[in-house]
PDB file of all heavy atoms in Angstrom:
ATOM      1  N   ALA J 489     -25.191  14.075  -9.856  1.00 90.00           N
ATOM      2  CA  ALA J 489     -23.807  13.810  -9.282  1.00 90.00           C
ATOM      3  C   ALA J 489     -23.542  12.322  -9.273  1.00 90.00           C
ATOM      4  O   ALA J 489     -22.498  11.820  -9.655  1.00 90.00           O
ATOM      5  CB  ALA J 489     -23.671  14.420  -8.010  1.00 90.00           C
ATOM      6  N   GLY J 490     -24.624  11.586  -8.804  1.00 91.00           N
ATOM      7  CA  GLY J 490     -24.382  10.141  -8.721  1.00 91.00           C
ATOM      8  C   GLY J 490     -24.235   9.471 -10.053  1.00 91.00           C
ATOM      9  O   GLY J 490     -23.363   8.581 -10.244  1.00 91.00           O
ATOM     10  N   ARG J 491     -24.986   9.941 -11.147  1.00 89.00           N
ATOM     11  CA  ARG J 491     -24.770   9.399 -12.415  1.00 89.00           C
ATOM     12  C   ARG J 491     -23.422   9.608 -12.976  1.00 89.00           C
ATOM     13  O   ARG J 491     -22.673   8.791 -13.632  1.00 89.00           O
ATOM     14  CB  ARG J 491     -25.759  10.148 -13.410  1.00 89.00           C
ATOM     15  CG  ARG J 491     -26.804   9.285 -14.052  1.00 89.00           C
ATOM     16  CD  ARG J 491     -27.891  10.144 -14.513  1.00 89.00           C
ATOM     17  NE  ARG J 491     -27.669  10.951 -15.626  1.00 89.00           N
ATOM     18  CZ  ARG J 491     -27.857  10.749 -16.902  1.00 89.00           C
ATOM     19  NH1 ARG J 491     -28.207   9.679 -17.257  1.00 89.00           N
ATOM     20  NH2 ARG J 491     -27.471  11.644 -17.810  1.00 89.00           N
ATOM     21  N   MET J 492     -22.818  10.841 -12.661  1.00 87.00           N
ATOM     22  CA  MET J 492     -21.518  11.223 -13.079  1.00 87.00           C
ATOM     23  C   MET J 492     -20.457  10.219 -12.365  1.00 87.00           C
ATOM     24  O   MET J 492     -19.506   9.778 -13.087  1.00 87.00           O
ATOM     25  CB  MET J 492     -21.102  12.648 -12.633  1.00 87.00           C
ATOM     26  CG  MET J 492     -21.564  13.619 -13.548  1.00 87.00           C
ATOM     27  SD  MET J 492     -21.055  15.200 -12.866  1.00 87.00           S
ATOM     28  CE  MET J 492     -22.306  16.207 -13.568  1.00 87.00           C
ATOM     29  N   VAL J 493     -20.643  10.095 -11.146  1.00 89.00           N
ATOM     30  CA  VAL J 493     -19.723   9.182 -10.294  1.00 89.00           C
ATOM     31  C   VAL J 493     -19.658   7.738 -11.019  1.00 89.00           C
ATOM     32  O   VAL J 493     -18.624   7.143 -11.093  1.00 89.00           O
ATOM     33  CB  VAL J 493     -20.016   9.214  -8.869  1.00 89.00           C
ATOM     34  CG1 VAL J 493     -19.089   8.213  -8.105  1.00 89.00           C
ATOM     35  CG2 VAL J 493     -19.718  10.642  -8.337  1.00 89.00           C
ATOM     36  N   ALA J 494     -20.853   7.326 -11.233  1.00 90.00           N
ATOM     37  CA  ALA J 494     -20.969   6.068 -11.932  1.00 90.00           C
ATOM     38  C   ALA J 494     -20.353   5.973 -13.193  1.00 90.00           C
ATOM     39  O   ALA J 494     -19.448   4.989 -13.503  1.00 90.00           O
ATOM     40  CB  ALA J 494     -22.479   5.723 -12.126  1.00 90.00           C
ATOM     41  N   ALA J 495     -20.347   7.064 -14.003  1.00 88.00           N
ATOM     42  CA  ALA J 495     -19.661   7.168 -15.235  1.00 88.00           C
ATOM     43  C   ALA J 495     -18.088   7.171 -15.062  1.00 88.00           C
ATOM     44  O   ALA J 495     -17.395   6.431 -15.802  1.00 88.00           O
ATOM     45  CB  ALA J 495     -19.958   8.367 -16.057  1.00 88.00           C
ATOM     46  N   TRP J 496     -17.643   7.756 -13.983  1.00 88.00           N
ATOM     47  CA  TRP J 496     -16.270   7.823 -13.695  1.00 88.00           C
ATOM     48  C   TRP J 496     -15.738   6.428 -13.432  1.00 88.00           C
ATOM     49  O   TRP J 496     -14.655   6.031 -13.800  1.00 88.00           O
ATOM     50  CB  TRP J 496     -15.969   8.703 -12.534  1.00 88.00           C
ATOM     51  CG  TRP J 496     -16.168  10.111 -12.687  1.00 88.00           C
ATOM     52  CD1 TRP J 496     -16.446  10.708 -13.896  1.00 88.00           C
ATOM     53  CD2 TRP J 496     -16.100  11.157 -11.730  1.00 88.00           C
ATOM     54  NE1 TRP J 496     -16.620  12.202 -13.568  1.00 88.00           N
ATOM     55  CE2 TRP J 496     -16.382  12.406 -12.361  1.00 88.00           C
ATOM     56  CE3 TRP J 496     -15.796  11.101 -10.396  1.00 88.00           C
ATOM     57  CZ2 TRP J 496     -16.435  13.556 -11.645  1.00 88.00           C
ATOM     58  CZ3 TRP J 496     -15.770  12.346  -9.613  1.00 88.00           C
ATOM     59  CH2 TRP J 496     -16.127  13.591 -10.244  1.00 88.00           C
ATOM     60  N   LEU J 497     -16.572   5.682 -12.584  1.00 89.00           N
ATOM     61  CA  LEU J 497     -16.076   4.443 -12.170  1.00 89.00           C
ATOM     62  C   LEU J 497     -15.845   3.464 -13.280  1.00 89.00           C
ATOM     63  O   LEU J 497     -15.007   2.623 -13.331  1.00 89.00           O
ATOM     64  CB  LEU J 497     -17.123   3.766 -11.113  1.00 89.00           C
ATOM     65  CG  LEU J 497     -17.148   4.468  -9.739  1.00 89.00           C
ATOM     66  CD1 LEU J 497     -18.146   3.833  -8.856  1.00 89.00           C
ATOM     67  CD2 LEU J 497     -15.717   4.338  -9.011  1.00 89.00           C
ATOM     68  N   ILE J 498     -16.915   3.599 -14.275  1.00 91.00           N
ATOM     69  CA  ILE J 498     -16.749   2.593 -15.302  1.00 91.00           C
ATOM     70  C   ILE J 498     -16.025   3.106 -16.567  1.00 91.00           C
ATOM     71  O   ILE J 498     -15.705   2.344 -17.542  1.00 91.00           O
ATOM     72  CB  ILE J 498     -18.122   2.119 -15.881  1.00 91.00           C
ATOM     73  CG1 ILE J 498     -19.043   3.281 -16.224  1.00 91.00           C
ATOM     74  CG2 ILE J 498     -18.819   1.303 -14.787  1.00 91.00           C
ATOM     75  CD1 ILE J 498     -20.388   2.901 -16.776  1.00 91.00           C
ATOM     76  N   THR J 499     -15.380   4.346 -16.533  1.00 92.00           N
ATOM     77  CA  THR J 499     -14.703   4.937 -17.722  1.00 92.00           C
ATOM     78  C   THR J 499     -13.516   3.999 -17.993  1.00 92.00           C
ATOM     79  O   THR J 499     -13.405   3.598 -19.170  1.00 92.00           O
ATOM     80  CB  THR J 499     -14.308   6.323 -17.381  1.00 92.00           C
ATOM     81  OG1 THR J 499     -15.330   7.180 -17.386  1.00 92.00           O
ATOM     82  CG2 THR J 499     -13.278   6.807 -18.488  1.00 92.00           C
ATOM     83  N   LEU J 500     -12.715   3.793 -16.923  1.00 92.00           N
ATOM     84  CA  LEU J 500     -11.565   3.048 -17.224  1.00 92.00           C
ATOM     85  C   LEU J 500     -11.720   1.560 -17.785  1.00 92.00           C
ATOM     86  O   LEU J 500     -11.137   1.245 -18.794  1.00 92.00           O
ATOM     87  CB  LEU J 500     -10.583   3.068 -15.988  1.00 92.00           C
ATOM     88  CG  LEU J 500      -9.173   2.598 -16.285  1.00 92.00           C
ATOM     89  CD1 LEU J 500      -8.269   3.828 -16.236  1.00 92.00           C
ATOM     90  CD2 LEU J 500      -8.749   1.607 -15.242  1.00 92.00           C
TER      91      LEU J 500
END
Side-chain angles (χ1 to χ4, degrees):
Chain J
R491 244 159 65 96
M492 277 182 203
V493 172
W496 293 354
L497 290 178
I498 54 176
T499 290
L500 193 108

